[in-house]
Amino acid sequence: MQSAISLPTAKQGLHSNIRTTALRFRAGQMIFDEGQSATRWYEVVRGTVRTCRFHLDGHRHLTGFFFDGDVFGADHGNYGTSAEAVTDVTVRCYRVGDISQTSDSGPELDGALSFLFRAMSSAQRYLFIMGHRTAPERLAAFLLCLYQQGGDEPNLQLPMSRNDIADFLGLTIHTVSRTFSDLTRRGFIEVDGRNSVIVTDHAGLCNLAGEFQDNFPNDGHGDIHPAADLCLGDRPAA
């Protein structure tokens, strides 16, 4: 199954005319809490952020990780999750009104649309991961997302803990540890300490996750369905 992942190739902030504030958070520090009024959106400049929800019994459901260039907190009304710094992080903070009220054409609108598309891209990434059923499939999909996020570098940094990964993938920490060992045994990866993995068989990971290997960054010149011309308004002359 081909995924809908489409990560941004240019990781840069919005147009300078849209007001931003740079904020820094220490590892473990809360950025915003679930239920708070969603008056700010955020862009990761440096570091790693996680979002999560807490059930009434105290169980944590981790909903996503966000890296350099990712956008989070794009909620309507109130935040549906809490956001915490996994590492020391720097983020850009945008007021919702400054983005949503950008209606004129030009660089500011382009920047606002880029911001929204990146928020959608992050959401699609995790829909792709959670669409897998088995533990090896989910972990493979998770590692492939990190692989693409890192620009196809085989050395993947894992700033999050194994417990974070387990909470996010809906697995136990024992299952995650066992699955890392299984992927290593099958020659897909090499584990280089607690916070680093080397992808040794990218094609094998893609096959395990049900992902086309060439679906990851391409030249953008592939054929599209002929009917798309009609959607785009490129109708043939009468």
Side-chain angles (χ1 to χ4, degrees), residues 39-235:
T39 58
R40 300 288 188 273
W41 293 356
Y42 299 86
E43 177 186 20
V44 181
V45 176
R46 186 177 298 105
T48 304
V49 173
R50 65 184 170 223
T51 54
C52 56
R53 302 186 68 177
F54 290 92
H55 298 276
L56 292 177
D57 62 1
H59 174 70
R60 183 183 68 164
H61 176 204
L62 208 155
T63 58
F65 295 103
F66 301 87
F67 307 93
D68 299 4
D70 284 344
V71 170
F72 66 99
D75 293 338
H76 177 70
N78 300 93
Y79 292 120
T81 63
S82 298
E84 304 169 344
V86 175
T87 63
D88 290 348
V89 300
T90 301
V91 300
R92 290 190 184 96
C93 174
Y94 302 87
R95 293 197 313 175
V96 170
D98 290 345
I99 296 174
S100 62
Q101 294 174 16
T102 300
S103 56
D104 296 331
S105 60
E108 287 189 31
L109 179 59
D110 291 342
L113 290 175
S114 172
F115 192 90
L116 293 174
F117 287 146
R118 278 188 278 162
M120 292 169 60
S121 176
S122 297
Q124 288 175 338
R125 183 192 319 165
Y126 297 117
L127 288 174
F128 164 64
I129 293 173
M130 299 312 293
H132 294 77
R133 292 175 294 178
T134 69
E137 289 172 355
R138 287 193 179 186
L139 184 57
F142 176 69
L143 294 176
L144 284 174
C145 285
L146 297 182
Y147 180 90
Q148 189 183 17
Q149 177 75 18
D152 293 355
E153 285 293 328
N155 291 64
L156 307 182
Q157 296 303 309
L158 304 177
M160 68 291 294
S161 66
R162 292 290 191 271
N163 192 53
D164 278 351
I165 296 173
D167 283 352
F168 173 60
L169 297 180
L171 305 170
T172 65
I173 190 169
H174 174 70
T175 299
V176 167
S177 297
R178 187 178 69 240
T179 306
F180 267 108
S181 298
D182 178 52
L183 296 186
T184 301
R185 178 182 58 79
R186 296 166 69 176
F188 296 146
I189 63 172
E190 292 180 3
V191 176
D192 184 21
R194 295 287 297 177
N195 299 105
S196 180
V197 166
I198 301 171
V199 175
T200 52
D201 185 357
H202 178 246
L205 275 185
C206 288
N207 184 61
L208 178 59
E211 176 66 31
F212 294 114
Q213 183 177 4
D214 59 3
N215 186 50
F216 287 79
N218 54 52
D219 60 9
H221 298 296
D223 293 335
I224 63 173
H225 195 285
D229 287 340
L230 299 179
C231 298
L232 297 173
D234 297 332
R235 300 178 183 275

